[in-house]
Structures are given as C-alpha cells and as structure tokens.
Amino acid sequence: MSEEREMERMVDLLIVGGGINGAGIARDAAGRGLSVLLVEQDDLASHTSSASTKLIHGGLRYLEYGEFRLVREALIERERLLNMAPHIIWPLEFVLPQNQSPRPAWMVRLGLFMYDHLGGREKLPGTRTVNLATSAAGAGLSPREGKAFIYSDCWVEDSRLVVLNAMDAAARGAVIETRTRLIDARREGDGWVATIADARGTREVRARVIVNAAGPWVADVLGRVPDARTDRGVKLVKGSHIVVPRLYPGAHAFMLQNPDRRIVFAIPYENDFTLVGTTDEVWNEKPGKAQISTGETDYLLETIGRYFAQPVDKADIRWSYAGIRPLYDDKSTNASAVTRDYVLDLDAGEGRAPMLSIFGGKITTYRKLAEHAMKELARFFPDASGAWTAGAVLPGGDMADADFDLYLSRLMTSRPALPPKLLRRLARAYGTRTDDLLGAAQNVRDLGTAFGGDLYQAEVDYLVAREWARTSEDVLFRRSKLGLHVPAGTAEALDAYLARVVPVAA
C-alpha cells in the first residue's frame, strides 16, 4: 500500500465539501500538522462558493438587522484578506445613490459611520459624499440627481480563493480529492469509518474527526450518519445574478436600494460587462444545480431600469448564474433577513467520535470560521500547533508590500514580447505563480495551442497539474471567466484536449 493510501486509511480530519469553508479548514488544519483528506463530490467551488457577488465586505446591510458582531468580524477580515491575496482581492468603491432610497439619508450615513469605524479600517478610504449631477460617479444613472455616499469594500475572485486555499492545504500535506462522494459514515471505537466513491470505485477511509462542510448538502451528509444529531437546521436561500453589457463608465460599483428595501449591486465585470445581483429566494427543493428564475430575472432587470439610463432587456443578458446559500435557520420568515452568521455544531458526546458540522457563513469570514472550527476541535488534537493563518499569504500573494502593480510591472519587463493584456490577466489570476505557469515562455508561440480568448495550452496544463481542473467548465467559468470571451467551439475543443491530458486516476 502506498504512503498516500495509508494516510487516507487513518487521517486526523476527513473534510466533506470543497467550498470555501472546507478548503479553509483543510488549509488551517494541515498548517497545524494534522493529516487531512478533503473530498468534494464535484469540482472545487462548483456550487455556492462560485455563485457569490464576488465581494469581500463587512455587510453594510447586516447592520440593519443588528448583526454587529458579524459585521465587525467581517470588516477586520476584509483588510486581512486583502493583504493575503492582493492578486485576486482588490479595493472597490461603491456609490450609494440617495435619490431613490427608501431609507432616510441620516440613517444611511449613520450606518456608514459605524461601517467605517467598527473594524479598525487601515488601508481603505472612509465614506465621502458626492453630488450625482456633477460627479463622475453619477454617469450612466437616470435620473442623475441628488447626492450619493461613496464607501469602500473589496472585490474577490471567489472560486479562485477556494482553489488557492486548497493548493496551500495540499502544499502542507493535505490530500484533496475532487469528484469524490461520501457514501456513508459510521462511528467505530473512537473514530470513523467512511465509505467514499470516485471514478475508480468505492473504498473505506478512517478518520478521527469528520468535518461536515458540505454547504447546501450539510443536512444530506448528516442523513448518511446513522446516529447523527439533527437539532440544528439549515435554510436554503437562492441568490441569482445576471451579466449584461457595461451599464456605465468608471471602475466603481453601485449599491442600489429598491422600494422593497432590498439591496442589489451593479459591479464592473470582466472589463466589458456589468454584474447585477443578488436576489433572495427561499429554496424548498433538494440541493442541486440552481438556475435563475423568470421572477428573479424580471426583478434584476426592473432594478436596472429604475436606476440606469441604458435600456436592457432579456435579450441583452450575456450570462446568468445562481447559487444556493446554506444559511443557519434562525426561523426568520424573510429570506433577506436570515442571518449570514455561522454556527459550528460539534457532536462529540462521551465515547462518540467527533463530528463538526458547519451551518451558514460567508466568504469574507471563511478564514475566521476555520480558525474557530480548529478551536472547537483542539481538545482532540493536543499536539497540534496553534493558530497561524492570520498573516500567512495565499499562493501567488507573496508580493512585496502586497503591491500588485509593482509585481505586474516587473513581470511585463521580464517578458516584453508577451501581450500586456495577457500578462495582466494571468497576474490577476495566479499572482507570483504566473512565472511557474509561463516557464521559459517569451512569446505566445511558446505557450502551445491557442484555444481562443487568450487561453493557451500552457495555462490549461498548469490548471490540470496544479489546480484540479478536469473539464472546460472548470477552466472557463471557475478558474477563470474566459467563457464570456472565447469564440464558439472553444469549450468543445478544450474538452477534447482535456480528455487526452487529464490523468486517468483523476
């Protein structure tokens, strides 16, 4: 039996779920010296964690629901994550128009004052007020009148954040297995025996602790454990987004307040587009692949029509996506008001092998959630080292002074014959790992087959070898958003190539 197989037979942690929480816990645990096996039934970040609004933010609107602890924690994490991954996370200004606000200006300004001061802000600028009629921030709006507040949060490449955490976990010894399902698990002595299945068949693995980080499937995993506790509940809420041609000039985003008091963001996306979302709909079906509904589409288009001068209809929608958020069930009857805080439920009575289930959470607080999870499990691993992730950069983020522009300038200088647009895109996705991806390449001919949209064989090979990419969807819509840019036929050509190069055992 190989050393890897032996490790799989008895690991400290078996983590079920390859979204942001599972990947974050795997990274934290591996860095403490624990052995980790993470299984994900699909691709990394293939569901909720790639269907977000792509923001690292404190959650300004959560103040309205009294979520002060969550907002403070998220604001502290916001700048911490900015330093950890400056290639995939960067500052973004938000314009909050008041000319159609259902909330009085004084209330919004008070909330922004708290937002500026709750989390010990250091890098990001504070709130300011502008006149929409005269400020560039008003361009594209209709009507362009009244005042707006401008505050700052951060953008994140959400699915890449998951992958980077998984990469760092693997570099520290964790085993990451995608396309691998948990079939069932049973307590045996002071540990677990779990049956997992992949393309090679089924096998049993042993673990001291199971971490149920299955997101929307958290209750489903509990159902596969005969004596699991089920006194915690999850409320599934669908959030959907649309991508339309660019609605306005400028690099800022808009936070739009609708008459029903719900919030919709409009955000610059992939240079040529605007991302608009999200919605909040209770999901009463089984977890699975979600799609935007007609009602959600109409709601987002009505929001665009309410605020922007450029007319948009369904024919203009270039792409849409939807995700199911596994929120902790706080019994709220309003989907928008359900808490975004997380709950860690440890089932570890006397003589019972421990199982930690994760309910809720949001991308911004994933690192803190992982740290809290390891604190809950600390008594089972007395020899493990302590918390370490707060100042540890993610793969590709090791740039001098977290200065992305400086790194990009040096990259362009070192490879002058490669197109600047291509180098910028690669640097934004891979950071300092771009040099590993490019190898000795000095021009596009060195990058191999061109698949279109600035996607070359060298990048695909890197994604297969380093980032668990296995299909065209993995490459075009999770590791990148090139699916919005490539010509017709690219996905088919890419899948044909991947069929030849993906390892048989993958």
Side-chain angles (χ1 to χ4, degrees):
M1 180 177 292
S2 71
E3 182 177 339
E4 179 176 290
R5 289 291 183 184
E6 181 62 29
M7 193 202 82
E8 290 177 10
R9 282 186 64 250
M10 176 55 80
V11 294
D12 293 322
L13 263 61
L14 169 61
I15 300 174
V16 183
I20 189 60
N21 290 336
I25 293 170
R27 176 187 184 233
D28 193 316
R32 296 173 190 248
L34 301 182
S35 56
V36 176
L37 169 63
L38 181 149
V39 295
E40 161 55 45
Q41 64 181 347
D42 296 306
D43 181 31
L44 295 171
S46 54
H47 296 284
T48 308
S49 294
S50 60
S52 77
T53 312
K54 326 296 182 192
L55 301 179
I56 296 294
H57 65 135
L60 176 61
R61 70 184 180 91
Y62 305 152
L63 291 175
E64 196 167 20
Y65 300 111
E67 299 266 18
F68 299 110
R69 189 211 62 79
L70 174 63
V71 173
R72 174 174 165 75
E73 181 174 277
L75 288 171
I76 292 170
E77 287 299 294
R78 181 183 64 180
E79 295 205 9
R80 185 171 279 154
L81 295 178
L82 179 59
N83 289 323
M84 287 169 54
H87 50 318
I88 63 165
I89 300 173
W90 58 87
L92 181 63
E93 286 193 330
F94 289 79
V95 178
L96 209 171
Q98 288 302 293
N99 55 12
Q100 300 189 61
S101 174
R103 301 166 180 87
W106 67 263
M107 179 186 294
V108 176
R109 189 62 187 89
L110 177 61
L112 287 165
F113 177 84
M114 296 175 65
Y115 202 69
D116 281 345
H117 293 89
L118 269 176
R121 177 178 51 84
E122 294 180 1
K123 283 191 171 183
L124 299 179
T127 300
R128 68 184 191 274
T129 304
V130 298
N131 184 328
L132 289 172
T134 57
S135 170
L141 293 178
S142 177
R144 186 178 179 177
E145 60 186 26
K147 68 179 177 182
F149 302 117
I150 299 182
Y151 71 98
S152 291
D153 269 320
C154 292
W155 169 268
V156 63
E157 297 290 349
D158 52 3
S159 51
R160 291 211 55 75
L161 183 65
V162 177
V163 170
L164 296 187
N165 275 272
M167 288 175 66
D168 202 24
R172 298 173 189 277
V175 174
I176 310 294
E177 296 200 7
T178 61
R179 274 83 180 181
T180 303
R181 284 184 77 237
L182 175 76
I183 303 300
D184 56 45
R186 68 182 185 276
R187 288 179 165 94
E188 189 172 282
D190 59 355
W192 290 91
V193 177
T195 304
I196 61 176
D198 59 15
R200 299 168 292 186
T202 62
R203 67 185 190 276
E204 288 190 340
V205 296
R206 297 180 179 273
R208 294 179 176 86
V209 174
I210 288 181
V211 175
N212 178 5
W217 286 267
V218 62
D220 182 60
V221 168
L222 289 172
R224 300 178 196 183
V225 179
D227 60 346
R229 268 179 31 192
T230 57
D231 55 339
R232 300 282 192 183
V234 62
K235 176 169 284 190
L236 303 181
V237 175
K238 183 175 66 162
S240 299
H241 300 75
I242 59 175
V243 175
V244 298
R246 187 110 190 195
L247 294 172
Y248 59 91
H252 56 278
F254 284 96
M255 183 180 186
L256 308 173
Q257 304 176 77
N258 279 336
D260 60 4
R261 302 181 71 87
R262 286 162 60 183
I263 297 298
V264 170
F265 292 102
I267 305 172
Y269 195 66
E270 291 293 304
N271 300 313
D272 303 324
F273 307 100
T274 300
L275 172 67
V276 182
T278 183
T279 58
D280 285 301
E281 280 194 353
V282 173
W283 179 269
N284 293 314
E285 302 173 37
K286 290 183 178 180
K289 191 72 172 176
Q291 293 183 329
I292 191 169
S293 68
T294 300
E296 289 174 301
T297 300
D298 290 344
Y299 182 83
L300 295 177
L301 289 175
E302 287 169 8
T303 303
I304 293 172
R306 184 175 296 118
Y307 275 94
F308 293 102
Q310 180 176 318
V312 176
D313 59 27
K314 290 182 180 179
D316 295 308
I317 297 174
R318 293 292 302 273
W319 184 47
S320 67
Y321 64 88
I324 304 170
R325 300 175 220 133
L327 306 180
Y328 175 65
D329 189 359
D330 61 1
K331 309 306 179 184
S332 173
T333 57
N334 179 354
S336 296
V338 179
T339 181
R340 266 55 176 177
D341 210 345
Y342 54 82
V343 171
L344 308 181
D345 184 48
L346 180 60
D347 179 0
E350 186 67 30
R352 288 169 65 81
M355 182 177 192
L356 182 68
S357 295
I358 314 297
F359 294 87
K362 57 200 292 284
I363 283 180
T364 305
T365 53
Y366 88 89
R367 189 207 64 83
K368 196 66 177 177
L369 182 152
E371 201 169 78
H372 284 166
M374 295 312 301
K375 185 177 181 180
E376 287 286 314
L377 299 175
R379 69 179 187 267
F380 306 110
F381 303 108
D383 296 330
S385 56
W388 64 276
T389 59
V393 298
L394 287 163
D398 51 336
M399 300 171 181
D401 298 321
D403 190 332
F404 173 80
D405 291 332
L406 177 61
Y407 169 74
L408 178 61
S409 176
R410 290 173 176 170
L411 179 66
M412 289 180 173
T413 299
S414 67
R415 300 177 192 263
L418 283 170
K421 182 181 176 182
L422 171 63
L423 290 177
R424 172 175 284 277
R425 181 182 70 78
L426 293 177
R428 270 296 178 208
Y430 307 104
T432 58
R433 300 296 175 95
T434 303
D435 290 297
D436 294 340
L437 186 158
L438 292 173
Q442 289 294 327
N443 55 65
V444 293
R445 294 186 301 277
D446 298 332
L447 298 176
T449 302
F451 291 98
D454 268 347
L455 177 65
Y456 293 89
Q457 180 182 336
E459 183 175 1
V460 176
D461 290 346
Y462 175 91
L463 292 173
V464 170
R466 306 286 188 88
E467 297 195 5
W468 300 276
R470 298 294 179 258
T471 70
S472 61
E473 185 178 354
D474 298 352
V475 173
L476 296 176
F477 285 98
R478 280 187 286 277
R479 304 308 184 278
S480 75
K481 296 298 181 288
L482 288 172
L484 289 169
H485 305 285
V486 297
T490 297
E492 292 77 8
L494 187 53
D495 276 327
Y497 176 75
L498 290 168
R500 299 194 301 270
V501 301
V502 168
V504 174

